[in-house]
Amino acid sequence: MMQRTQDREHATIDPAAARADGAVGGNGTPRSCYGVQVLVAGRRKQWRDEINGQIRRAGYSAITVDSAVDALTVLVLGLPVDVLVTDAELHGSLGLSELAAEARALRPNLGIVVACDSAVSDCADLVPADALLVPCPSEEEAVACSVREALAARAV
């Protein structure tokens, strides 16, 4: 949406045109040069694909992994991640509560969204206090809405 002239010495950028479609990142949330990056961690491929679709339809970029260890690897490597969306049913040497604690230690401002297909009471004990819980992640755009909430909470 930037407008500029052909002559590089006299290039101009129209800030009004750049802001015509709303604030960068929505709700005034700062974004990296890569846009909003969402890390999706879930053990089932079908679930990851479904959540990835919701994230992309909302206009965000997604990185998907199938374990908590892989999610932590992405965070440790320093890849840009704004929100972590994780399946409450993560299994393995590292579970949901450990993943959330380690992720928060590495990135204090990371938004965390936990998707729980089972009864909410089963998930509530595993979810960090500042994380958002999505009880029915398969509902259309439920996770994307929670990602927006997590981004808004980070901006405060």
Side-chain angles (χ1 to χ4, degrees):
M1 298 288 277
M2 293 193 288
Q3 297 175 350
R4 63 184 179 143
T5 63
Q6 291 295 90
D7 184 2
R8 289 183 186 245
E9 290 182 23
H10 297 92
T12 59
I13 297 174
D14 182 2
R19 279 189 241 110
D21 58 344
V24 174
N27 299 331
T29 305
R31 288 170 43 174
S32 72
C33 62
Y34 302 102
V36 174
Q37 296 285 325
V38 179
L39 175 58
V40 178
R43 63 185 180 95
R44 296 185 326 260
K45 182 176 181 349
Q46 181 180 358
W47 182 89
R48 290 191 312 269
D49 291 346
E50 188 176 302
I51 300 304
N52 187 21
Q54 284 189 35
I55 299 300
R56 291 187 184 275
R57 282 190 299 276
Y60 306 133
S61 297
I63 301 168
T64 59
V65 295
D66 63 358
S67 70
V69 171
D70 289 346
L72 278 180
T73 301
V74 168
L75 296 173
V76 167
L77 289 174
L79 296 173
V81 175
D82 300 297
V83 178
L84 167 65
V85 175
T86 180
D87 184 2
E89 299 174 4
L90 277 179
H91 297 296
S93 58
L94 206 60
L96 167 63
S97 53
E98 294 89 1
L99 170 60
E102 292 293 328
R104 182 68 72 221
L106 287 167
R107 310 245 181 126
N109 292 332
L110 182 70
I112 299 176
V113 175
V114 178
C116 182
D117 283 325
S118 59
V120 173
S121 58
D122 295 343
C123 301
D125 295 340
L126 303 172
V127 178
D130 59 343
L132 296 172
L133 181 64
V134 182
C136 298
S138 58
E139 285 184 13
E140 189 64 24
E141 308 311 317
V143 172
C145 289
S146 295
V147 167
R148 281 188 208 98
E149 287 178 44
L151 287 167
R154 279 182 30 175
V156 173

